[in-house]
Amino acid sequence: MRWELLFADLESRLDVAERAEVDAEIAERTRDERAAVALAGRLAAQAGARVRLVLRGGARATGIVADVAGAWVLLDAADGQVVVPLAAIAAVEGLGHGAAPLTEVRRRLSLASALREVADAGLPVAVESDGGTWRGTIASVGADHLDLVSEGTMRTVPLGAVLAVRAG
């Protein structure tokens, strides 16, 4: 009879040790999976939801997540659409915990490629940058800059300085 209790105690300790090992493995896998999640994936999971972006320097962009690529997010804001480079985001408010996978094509879409579409459409924009906000139309987009034309004056803005490009 004592041996039965001894073996039951041994089995209980093995169960506890096995459970601790499984819990540790789950925690490690969870940490590894979270480490692979990019901000773009988190934003993509919020498609159709409202988020508030705090940009470098304190500017803000608030709206419904309409589209996401590896380098930018498109919001439907109250005053029109706005493209925000992910590199310009200092913080996101209202972001859920989920993540959605981006296709390889989406991951590779750059800010330049999105702005070339805007340039091709000839739409008026407001380009918010570290140096100020300028209105006009995007005449062309290079590898790392855009040319904005307003009232006959062309201004070249490095893409790295762009905080947001708003419609209108």
Side-chain angles (χ1 to χ4, degrees), residues 110-148:
S110 66
L111 177 62
S113 62
L115 295 179
R116 283 186 192 102
E117 292 298 315
V118 175
D120 289 347
L123 301 171
V125 296
V127 176
E128 295 177 23
S129 77
D130 293 322
T133 299
W134 301 289
R135 297 186 183 285
T137 56
I138 299 173
S140 64
V141 181
D144 63 352
H145 65 281
L146 64 84
D147 290 330
L148 185 70

Side-chain angles (χ1 to χ4, degrees), residues 9-128:
D9 181 55
L10 175 63
E11 184 178 356
S12 174
R13 284 185 286 153
L14 289 174
D15 283 345
V16 168
E18 186 176 306
R19 170 60 109 200
E21 186 178 316
V22 167
D23 288 348
E25 185 175 339
I26 289 171
E28 183 178 344
R29 286 185 182 186
T30 300
R31 186 176 49 252
D32 290 347
E33 286 181 25
R34 282 187 182 147
V37 174
L39 178 59
R42 301 252 332 257
L43 286 164
Q46 296 298 304
R50 179 172 297 283
V51 296
R52 290 168 306 286
L53 306 180
V54 179
L55 309 180
R56 291 187 318 254
R60 296 185 184 273
T62 301
I64 306 295
V65 176
D67 201 358
V68 180
W72 50 266
V73 59
L74 175 66
L75 300 180
D76 285 332
D79 57 348
Q81 292 190 306
V82 57
V83 175
V84 178
L86 297 184
I89 298 173
V92 181
E93 299 169 355
L95 191 62
H97 294 289
L102 296 178
T103 65
E104 184 61 28
V105 171
R106 284 242 163 242
R107 267 195 302 276
R108 297 172 96 183
L109 281 176
S110 66
L111 177 62
S113 62
L115 295 179
R116 283 186 192 102
E117 292 298 315
V118 175
D120 289 347
L123 301 171
V125 296
V127 176
E128 295 177 23

